[in-house]
Amino acid sequence: YLAEKLQIDLLPVVVFGSGDFLAKGDFWGRPNSLYMKIMPRIAWDDPVYGSTYPERARKIRQVYINWYTSLKSLYGNAHYYRQKLILNYVLKGPVLEWYLRTKLHLEENYEIFNRLMPRKGNILDLGCGYGYISYMLMLTSDERKLTGVDYDAEKIRLASGCFSKNDRIHFLCKDVTTMEINPHDGFLLGDLLHYLSPENQDALLRKCCSNLRPGGVIMIRDADSGLEKRHQRSVLTEFFSTHSGFNKTMDDSGTLYFTSAGNIQKVVESFGMTMEIIDNKKVTSNNLFVIRLG
């Protein structure tokens, strides 16, 4: 109305990050990045937006929503949500918080998972642990729905108690070797396979491959026993992890079964899929296997 009476253009300004800085009911705010972008002017008499006030308000609002969505997808990545993820775990013990901060530092805030996983759809995180990556994937896209599964009931309890939990993410305490797996747009198997026997590894991989929807992605993070020199360091790391009680094995024997890229490749090829190996580690044999339909 004012633009019409004064016959001047509207200058749209879109802001992302203000809500995470100063949430509703908060007074001081908290450290957070803020992004602002000035968009193209809207002429006060532009017929594209209609003629009546309700029509123009509705159409201009939709344009703002689209601009904001674009700005959020550009800047709302894993690096942006690092601090928010950490805040979910600050009151759950110093070891847990320290472990998360270390993992975020070593793995660039899990940005690679955000970048390679589908932006939209249902994602199943098998061996989710405390839910670190599950929450990051949920935070970085409003169109993702996450289900985290782990054998350790205590980890599931802690993951389910985070303040960021909403109706787009939930956690289940189940045995991945016996649970039913339905079609999903993405599967994440993070440091999981070496806890399963070779037979169960093969069966789980086949379940995931047969239930991957078109355009979906399977991401496997695990040690490659084929990298013999580096693999010894991975074995040592997992030994301390399981014997310290931080991670639980599937049985009382404490046996770990490390597979190789070759074994995973055989299963992938039998489904006509392709596999990319991302090797960012210089010291250990931990690799990231990215599987897609051919």
Side-chain angles (χ1 to χ4, degrees):
Y1 173 81
L2 292 175
E4 179 184 291
K5 293 302 180 184
L6 299 173
Q7 296 189 5
I8 57 175
D9 295 339
L10 295 168
L11 183 62
V13 179
V14 182
V15 179
F16 170 67
S18 57
D20 291 316
F21 162 68
L22 192 64
K24 184 177 180 180
D26 201 352
F27 180 76
W28 293 108
R30 58 185 60 175
N32 190 72
S33 299
L34 190 73
Y35 300 94
M36 181 183 297
K37 189 172 183 179
I38 298 176
M39 309 307 293
R41 290 171 176 264
I42 298 176
W44 66 272
D45 59 348
D46 191 339
V48 171
Y49 298 99
S51 56
T52 65
Y53 293 132
E55 184 182 14
R56 289 174 63 80
R58 183 171 60 254
K59 290 186 176 181
I60 291 177
R61 180 178 184 276
Q62 186 58 53
V63 170
Y64 260 93
I65 291 174
N66 295 338
W67 282 335
Y68 179 82
T69 301
S70 177
L71 195 66
K72 183 178 180 180
S73 65
L74 180 62
Y75 294 110
N77 54 24
H79 305 296
Y80 173 86
Y81 285 108
R82 169 190 169 88
Q83 187 60 30
K84 188 168 186 177
L85 178 63
I86 292 174
L87 287 173
N88 281 276
Y89 296 90
V90 294
L91 298 178
K92 293 179 171 60
V95 174
L96 202 60
E97 181 187 347
W98 169 84
Y99 182 72
L100 172 57
R101 290 180 181 273
T102 302
K103 294 288 285 184
L104 290 173
H105 175 73
L106 294 175
E107 300 193 38
E108 297 183 337
N109 302 318
Y110 300 134
E111 175 58 24
I112 193 167
F113 297 99
N114 171 50
R115 179 165 53 86
L116 296 179
M117 271 293 175
R119 303 280 310 166
K120 181 179 181 180
N122 297 306
I123 297 172
L124 184 61
D125 184 358
L126 298 171
C128 67
Y130 293 103
Y132 297 155
I133 301 179
S134 295
Y135 274 112
M136 184 60 86
L137 290 173
M138 185 272 291
L139 289 169
T140 48
S141 176
D142 293 336
E143 297 185 284
R144 286 180 181 142
K145 294 183 178 180
L146 275 296
T147 300
V149 179
D150 202 276
Y151 183 74
D152 192 329
E154 178 63 13
K155 290 183 177 180
I156 291 298
R157 185 185 70 82
L158 287 171
S160 299
C162 293
F163 76 85
S164 289
K165 190 176 184 301
N166 56 33
D167 59 359
R168 291 192 296 110
I169 185 169
H170 65 283
F171 296 92
L172 303 172
C173 181
K174 287 190 175 183
D175 184 343
V176 297
T177 63
T178 58
M179 68 175 288
E180 181 180 356
I181 293 181
N182 299 316
H184 281 74
D185 301 282
F187 291 96
L188 174 60
L189 287 69
D191 300 316
L192 169 67
L193 289 182
H194 59 268
Y195 288 95
L196 311 179
S197 67
E199 296 78 15
N200 285 331
Q201 289 178 12
D202 185 82
L204 181 60
L205 285 174
R206 292 183 180 278
K207 283 183 182 179
C208 292
C209 289
S210 61
N211 283 284
L212 184 65
R213 289 173 177 154
V217 176
I218 300 173
M219 299 183 70
I220 302 172
R221 182 180 62 185
D222 221 300
D224 181 0
S225 62
L227 303 174
E228 296 182 2
K229 292 183 178 180
R230 290 159 51 184
H231 186 58
Q232 295 305 313
R233 297 187 182 94
S234 295
V235 173
L236 184 62
T237 301
E238 289 299 320
F239 175 84
F240 285 118
S241 175
T242 54
H243 284 73
S244 66
F246 193 79
N247 290 325
K248 292 182 179 180
T249 54
M250 300 290 285
D251 54 53
D252 296 332
S253 68
T255 305
L256 299 177
Y257 308 89
F258 292 96
T259 189
S260 66
N263 291 335
I264 299 175
Q265 184 76 47
K266 289 178 183 178
V267 176
V268 171
E269 289 180 348
S270 69
F271 284 88
M273 296 179 170
T274 61
M275 182 174 80
E276 175 189 3
I277 301 176
I278 300 177
D279 186 354
N280 291 328
K281 304 295 182 182
K282 304 299 181 184
V283 178
T284 68
S285 63
N286 291 336
N287 278 343
L288 188 63
F289 307 93
V290 184
I291 301 165
R292 298 183 176 90
L293 291 171

